[in-house]
């Protein structure tokens, strides 16, 4: 401990000289994307959208100061430049949000929808997922329709081609918000992907005979590329059946839905899920294999190799191949990032610059942030650049140390030892690469997925040689020969390699090395990332300053885990309520939705749910359909009012709710009693909301038409939940509502990707106000 503190003191004492050395090596450039990205991340994190012009004027001011003081030394030059870059990142984020302008659906609706198919993809069960550009909605007409929706067709049907018009009865909903305060908001990514709603078709969708409206040339070109992508994926799956073929199609075209859930789960648990996406690994292997192959082939022609720059020709070929790879990849986020990074490295070869360097990584990051600042908040961007930066920094450190040593120590100079040494270097290289990649991405895995894969190193050691020497070379040759119909042997070899990778993934997943870490402190990612960047981007001993930041991040993580769990959890739609305390996690659902409860389980490290106790059939609510002939102004299916006996029976049942477990009347209400004696009622049928208000202390009624209880009980209805999102309630050991504390996922936020939550379709206005009784209890947004 003393030695470590002494080393940090020496680093601080010698910092001026080391800063001069960092500047001499040009490492200041490495922090340009860091500062710009920090500005973008700060803009996205704000609860309200700030005005553009004050930031623009401040940017111009600091940019002018940076230009005037560019020849000065020290902080006089760095401060205005840093502020200009930071404000520039904020403006880039605002411009991207304005450019996207996605209309997100405000509330779930069932309607007749017709639109043009822009993309389509089949999953492992043969169901088609369509991305549809909405043309019209009827019965009812959606007053604020999204421009694009993602629709699943469960029924077997002849798939509708891209560019054709599809129609049918659909159920569409807004993208999901955070399952708990501080977790991932799926509406954010959907907004920047241009998807305003997700849903499914009732029955079989129909292809309309009317021709679709003509597209612009760029839209037509994109459609043709997506058709080519689909054709390639289908061809690969025909050549290689099963999960191996779906895996191969995903590596080539980024179409992943055809892979079975069992295989995806095995890849995730074993730490091999990164292979599925077209990421830096896939792009680097494909471009690297092509580059080495072309350069080796041209080197056999001695006269040509001496007369022409073979290395640059190979780099040009690899760049063209990487471009083709990107064009058939579907323009995914990870593929775009991998292509830009690879293009920067290959272009560096044209100018006789080192292709593998931290400057190229920083330049790639800067380009991506300038094009799509929203990517900086995604785990894909963070994990990809963290792994790349750590590997390049590790390679530079190893190369720097190797220059000071004898390259061939005496015992290794004998020819008989050379093959053994080469094999050892190969195995050690894979081991170190996998180790650095796993450690560098652990921070972001913990933050976004709340888990660590402990056996990922073993899985990568076993699988990466197969990927590097069998799968990618066979796939590359197969794709080059596909236009000539000679791809079958190579695609089958690729499939055999992927079958081996799947077997490795399932074997390692069976070891059970998936360790839950839980939700992290709000400042964990910021502090940990600062420490990681100092360790990887600096050359001198100044990088040791990153260690205290990482230690502080670990302390924040421990502090978050030591906090008590909330007494109540409520999903954003109010259909699921849970009591985490007691012997288990009591829920009001016999089968909680895996999508929501799975996130709760990983974030809070809670166990399996305890099913509610269902009332016997004789106590179930009466038929909700009104009997007798259809009357004027009232449909035959209109619900009737409850009788006094039914209302009193509901009051009595809620008052008798057991402690630590829900008791439910199906399709009507559920109730439970907490350890403090607070009665919680979850009302499914809005007609029982009044009875619940009379009998309970806290009422969740998504279908209630009012938002306050005359009895003084706390009421949360569907309109309120739309504005707050998922909530956590801390009772603080009291039955007095005024002593409760509520954390919400979305309250107080008014951003382009959250505005739909405040939209009132009845009067076509945006109203962010919450009920007066709820506002004093909200102490933290949790974001």
């Amino acid at each position: 401990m003393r030695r470590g503190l002494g080393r940090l003191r020496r680093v601080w004492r010698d910092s001026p000289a080391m800063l001069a050395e960092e500047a001499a090596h040009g490492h200041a450039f490495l922090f340009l994307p860091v500062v710009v990205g920090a500005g973008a991340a700060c803009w996205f994190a704000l609860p309200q959208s700030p005005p553009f012009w004050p930031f623009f004027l401040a940017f111009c001011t600091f940019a002018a100061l940076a230009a005037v003081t560019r020849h000065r030394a020290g902080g006089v030059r760095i401060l205005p430049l840093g502020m200009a870059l930071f404000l520039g990142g904020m403006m880039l984020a605002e411009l991207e949000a304005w450019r996207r302008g996605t209309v997100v659906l405000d509330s779930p609706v069932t309607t007749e929808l017709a639109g043009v198919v822009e993309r389509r993809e089949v999953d492992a069960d043969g169901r088609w997922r369509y991305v549809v550009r909405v043309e019209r909605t009827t019965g009812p007409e959606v007053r604020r329709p999204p421009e694009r929706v993602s629709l699943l067709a469960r029924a077997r049907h002849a798939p509708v081609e891209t560019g054709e018009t599809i129609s049918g009865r659909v159920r569409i909903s807004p993208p999901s918000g955070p399952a708990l305060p501080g977790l991932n908001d799926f509406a954010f990514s959907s907004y920047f992907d241009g998807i305003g709603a997700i849903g499914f078709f009732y029955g079989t969708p129909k292809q309309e005979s009317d021709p679709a409206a003509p597209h612009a040339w760029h839209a037509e070109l994109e459609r043709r590329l997506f058709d080519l992508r689909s054709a390639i994926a289908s061809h690969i799956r025909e050549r290689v059946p099963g999960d191996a073929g779906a895996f191969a199609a995903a590596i080539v075209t980024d179409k992943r839905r055809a892979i079975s859930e069992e295989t995806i789960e095995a890849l995730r648990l074993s730490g091999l899920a990164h292979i599925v996406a077209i990421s830096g690994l896939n792009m680097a292997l494909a471009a690297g294999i092509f580059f080495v192959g072309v350069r080796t082939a041209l080197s056999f022609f001695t006269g040509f190799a001496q007369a022409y720059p073979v290395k640059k020709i190979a780099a040009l070929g690899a760049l063209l191949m990487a471009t083709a790879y990107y064009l058939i990849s579907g323009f995914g986020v990870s593929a775009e990032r991998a292509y830009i990074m690879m293009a920067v490295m290959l272009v560096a070869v044209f100018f006789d610059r080192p292709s593998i360097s931290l400057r190229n990584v920083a330049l790639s990051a800067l380009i991506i942030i300038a094009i799509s600042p929203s990517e900086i908040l995604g785990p894909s961007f963070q994990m990809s650049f963290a792994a790349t930066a750590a590997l390049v920094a590790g390679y530079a450190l190893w190369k720097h140390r190797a220059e000071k040593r004898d390259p061939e120590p005496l015992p290794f100079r004998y020819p008989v030892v050379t093959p053994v040494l080469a094999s050892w270097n190969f195995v050690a290289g894979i081991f170190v690469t996998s180790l650095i990649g796993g450690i560098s991405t652990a921070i972001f895995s913990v933050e976004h997925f709340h888990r660590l894969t402990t056996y990922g190193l073993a899985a990568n050691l076993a699988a990466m040689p197969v990927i590097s020497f069998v799968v990618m070379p066979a796939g590359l040759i197969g794709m080059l020969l596909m236009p000539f119909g000679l791809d079958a042997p190579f695609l089958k070899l690729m499939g055999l390699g992927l079958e081996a990778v799947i077997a490795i993934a399932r074997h390692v997943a069976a070891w059970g090395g998936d360790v839950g870490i839980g939700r992290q402190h709000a400042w964990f990612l910021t502090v940990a990332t600062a420490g990681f960047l100092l360790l990887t981007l600096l050359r001198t001993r100044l990088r040791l300053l990153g260690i205290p930041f990482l230690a502080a991040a670990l302390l924040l993580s421990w502090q978050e885990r030591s906090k008590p769990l909330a007494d109540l959890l409520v999903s954003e739609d109010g259909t699921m309520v849970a009591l985490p305390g007691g012997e288990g996690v009591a829920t009001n659902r016999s089968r909680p939705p895996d999508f929501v409860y799975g996130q709760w389980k990983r974030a809070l490290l809670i166990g399996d749910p305890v099913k509610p106790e269902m009332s016997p059939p004789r106590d179930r609510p009466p038929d909700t359909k009104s009997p007798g002939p259809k009357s004027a102004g009232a449909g035959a299916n209109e619900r009737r009012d409850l009788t006094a006996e039914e209302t009193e029976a509901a009051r009595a049942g809620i008052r008798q709710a057991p402690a630590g477990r829900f008791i439910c009347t199906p399709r009507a209400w559920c109730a439970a009693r907490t350890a403090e004696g607070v009665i919680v009622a979850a009302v499914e049928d809005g007609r029982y909301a009044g009875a619940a208000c009379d009998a309970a202390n806290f009422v969740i009624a998504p279908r209630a038409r009012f938002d306050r209880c005359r009895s003084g009980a706390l009421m949360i209805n569907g309109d309120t939940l739309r504005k707050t999102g998922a909530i956590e309630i801390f009772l603080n050991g009291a039955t007095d509502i005024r002593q409760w504390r509520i954390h919400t996922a979305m309250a107080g936020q008014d951003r382009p990707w959250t505005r739909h939550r405040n939209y009132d379709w009845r009067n076509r206005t945006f109203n962010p106000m919450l009920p007066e009784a709820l506002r004093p209890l909200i102490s933290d947004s949790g974001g």
Side-chain angles (χ1 to χ4, degrees):
M1 184 69 178
R2 291 181 180 178
R3 184 178 299 177
L5 291 175
R7 182 174 296 182
L8 288 175
R9 282 196 294 267
R10 288 194 298 272
V11 168
W12 181 259
R13 184 188 61 212
D14 300 337
S15 59
M18 288 187 286
L19 282 172
E21 183 180 348
E22 296 285 354
H25 285 86
H27 277 216
F29 178 80
L30 305 182
F31 287 89
L32 292 184
V34 175
V35 179
V36 175
C42 181
W43 188 88
F44 288 124
L46 294 174
Q48 309 287 332
S49 293
F52 176 80
W53 292 109
F55 284 95
F56 178 74
L57 293 176
F59 167 77
C60 293
T61 302
F62 281 109
L65 287 175
V68 171
T69 60
R70 65 184 183 278
H71 298 300
R72 302 282 184 89
V76 177
R77 180 185 62 175
I78 295 176
L79 182 60
L81 177 60
M83 288 301 300
L85 291 171
F86 185 85
L87 292 170
M90 297 187 74
M91 289 191 298
L92 285 172
E94 184 161 358
L95 287 173
E96 185 190 18
W98 171 79
R99 187 175 74 248
R100 294 293 182 183
T102 304
V103 176
V104 182
L105 184 69
D106 54 278
S107 58
V109 63
T110 300
T111 183
E112 293 284 342
L113 181 144
V116 179
V117 175
E118 293 189 340
R119 304 181 191 180
R120 62 176 192 169
E121 189 172 351
V122 67
D123 64 13
D125 298 323
R127 303 176 301 182
W128 284 89
R129 169 75 66 176
Y130 296 98
V131 174
V132 179
R133 188 178 74 248
V134 178
E135 298 288 337
R136 65 180 183 273
T137 57
T138 55
E141 179 183 358
V142 180
R143 296 183 179 178
R144 188 171 175 268
E147 183 179 353
R148 288 179 181 84
V149 297
S150 177
L151 296 171
L152 176 66
R154 298 190 181 101
R156 299 286 179 178
H157 66 286
V160 180
E161 300 292 334
T162 57
E164 299 295 331
T165 301
I166 193 173
S167 64
R169 190 75 174 168
V170 300
R171 176 70 174 178
I172 51 177
S173 304
S176 300
L180 283 177
L183 300 191
N184 181 43
D185 182 8
F186 295 94
F188 179 85
S189 56
S190 292
Y191 177 89
F192 288 99
D193 288 340
I195 305 296
I198 57 174
F200 57 89
F201 283 99
Y202 287 107
T204 305
K206 297 174 290 185
Q207 178 175 337
E208 295 192 354
S209 56
D210 296 338
H215 300 157
W217 67 268
H218 56 86
E220 181 65 19
L221 176 61
E222 182 176 325
R223 185 186 69 81
R224 291 182 180 275
L225 286 173
F226 275 102
D227 287 345
L228 175 62
R229 176 189 178 216
S230 297
I232 292 173
S234 299
H235 178 79
I236 293 174
R237 290 195 295 267
E238 290 172 1
R239 296 286 191 185
V240 184
D243 272 346
F247 200 167
I251 290 177
V252 174
T253 66
D254 207 28
K255 283 182 171 284
R256 315 174 205 173
R257 294 186 184 274
I259 307 175
S260 68
E261 291 293 334
E262 294 78 10
T263 298
I264 288 291
E265 185 69 6
L267 290 168
R268 184 188 62 78
L269 292 175
S270 61
L272 295 175
H274 62 93
I275 301 173
V276 180
I278 296 181
S279 59
L281 170 67
N282 307 55
M283 192 73 74
L285 285 173
I289 292 168
F290 193 91
F291 175 82
V292 173
V294 171
R295 189 177 182 185
T296 303
L298 293 178
S299 66
F300 287 119
F301 302 94
T302 308
F304 184 87
Q306 292 177 347
Y308 298 97
V310 172
K311 183 178 180 181
K312 295 182 181 180
I313 294 174
L316 177 61
L319 180 59
L320 293 175
M321 191 281 308
T323 302
Y325 193 7
Y326 172 64
L327 290 176
I328 65 171
S329 68
F331 312 111
V333 171
S334 59
E336 179 186 75
R337 182 179 57 256
Y339 171 71
I340 291 175
M341 191 182 303
M342 189 53 54
V344 169
M345 292 183 177
L346 290 172
V347 169
V349 177
F350 299 156
F351 298 95
D352 299 313
R353 305 289 295 177
S355 58
I356 302 177
S357 68
L358 284 174
R359 288 182 65 86
N360 287 343
V361 176
L363 181 59
S364 303
L366 198 57
I367 294 173
I368 293 170
I369 293 172
I371 296 173
S372 302
S374 59
E375 289 188 21
I376 197 171
L377 298 184
S380 181
F381 177 95
Q382 295 170 5
M383 297 177 79
S384 177
F385 273 99
T388 304
L391 288 170
V392 174
Y395 169 77
L397 182 61
W398 177 265
K399 183 179 179 182
H400 179 69
R401 290 189 175 184
E403 291 173 352
K404 301 179 180 180
R405 298 180 180 177
D406 184 0
E408 293 185 359
L410 184 60
F412 301 109
R413 294 178 183 175
Y414 297 101
V416 69
V417 183
T418 302
V420 178
L421 182 61
S423 301
W424 165 254
N425 288 336
F426 173 73
V427 175
I430 294 178
F431 176 82
V432 174
T433 300
S434 301
L435 183 64
I436 292 176
I439 293 176
S440 61
T441 57
I443 296 170
F444 309 98
S445 178
V446 167
E447 169 67 22
H448 295 286
F449 309 117
H450 319 302
R451 56 158 59 97
L452 281 176
T453 305
T454 54
Y455 298 124
L457 178 60
N460 279 274
L461 284 175
M464 288 316 300
V466 181
I467 294 291
S468 302
F469 294 104
V470 178
V471 173
M472 293 306 297
L476 179 59
I477 297 172
M479 289 300 300
L480 293 174
L481 296 178
M482 188 176 290
F484 309 101
L486 303 175
D487 55 286
F490 298 97
L491 291 182
K492 290 183 179 181
L493 178 60
M494 183 184 187
L496 291 174
L498 289 173
E499 285 179 359
V501 172
I502 293 172
I504 292 169
R506 289 175 176 170
H507 182 73
V508 174
W511 297 352
D514 193 34
V515 178
I517 305 298
R519 180 176 53 183
Q520 297 301 300
H521 191 278
W523 284 95
F524 168 82
L525 183 62
T526 302
V527 175
T529 301
F532 171 80
L533 291 173
L534 290 173
L535 280 173
T536 54
L537 300 186
L538 294 179
R539 173 188 177 92
T540 63
R541 284 180 296 152
L542 279 175
R543 62 177 178 266
L544 297 178
L545 295 175
I547 296 177
F549 283 92
L550 293 177
L554 291 175
L555 182 62
L556 290 174
S557 179
W558 172 82
Q559 180 187 8
E560 186 68 21
R561 291 284 6 110
S562 63
K563 292 181 179 178
L565 292 178
D567 296 290
L568 289 170
L569 308 175
V570 182
S571 65
E572 67 170 344
D573 60 359
T575 59
M576 187 166 68
V577 183
L579 278 65
E583 298 180 357
V585 183
T587 67
N588 65 322
R589 300 287 295 273
S590 298
R591 297 179 61 183
D594 292 336
F595 178 75
V596 176
Y597 192 82
Q599 294 183 72
W600 289 5
K601 192 173 182 179
R602 291 190 297 271
L604 303 179
L605 301 181
I606 56 179
D608 294 329
V610 177
K611 296 181 179 180
E613 179 183 342
M614 308 302 292
S615 62
R618 66 177 182 274
D619 293 335
R620 291 185 180 180
D623 187 3
T624 58
K625 295 181 181 180
S626 178
K630 184 175 180 179
S631 59
N637 292 335
E638 186 174 331
R639 295 188 303 176
R640 63 172 177 79
D641 293 334
L642 298 179
T643 64
E645 292 78 7
E646 291 166 351
T647 302
E648 184 56 37
R651 290 195 193 99
I654 293 173
R655 289 193 182 104
Q656 296 172 5
R661 186 172 185 178
F662 279 93
I663 182 171
C664 297
T665 296
R667 300 185 302 276
W669 55 266
C670 294
R673 190 185 302 268
T674 68
E676 296 83 359
V678 174
I679 298 178
V680 180
V683 180
E684 182 177 347
D685 187 336
R687 296 177 299 169
Y688 289 90
C693 281
D694 295 337
N697 305 99
F698 178 48
V699 180
I700 307 101
R703 293 182 174 86
R705 298 182 179 180
F706 54 93
D707 59 9
R708 65 182 64 186
C709 293
R710 292 176 298 179
S711 64
L714 182 63
M715 154 74 81
I716 296 182
N717 65 0
D719 184 62
T720 301
L721 282 169
R722 273 208 305 140
K723 298 173 183 178
T724 63
I727 61 177
E728 294 177 287
I729 301 178
F730 297 84
L731 302 178
N732 296 323
T735 57
D736 185 357
I737 295 176
R738 292 171 297 180
Q739 299 183 36
W740 296 358
R741 181 165 48 95
I742 296 179
H743 290 185
T744 69
M746 306 302 296
Q749 296 192 29
D750 185 16
R751 308 307 308 272
W753 53 91
T754 65
R755 289 204 74 203
H756 63 281
R757 293 179 171 273
N758 301 326
Y759 183 71
D760 186 346
W761 59 267
R762 294 177 180 85
N763 52 27
R764 300 187 182 187
T765 60
F766 292 89
N767 179 19
M769 296 300 295
L770 292 171
E772 185 177 353
L774 185 64
R775 274 176 275 169
L777 305 179
I778 299 177
S779 60
D780 181 13
S781 68

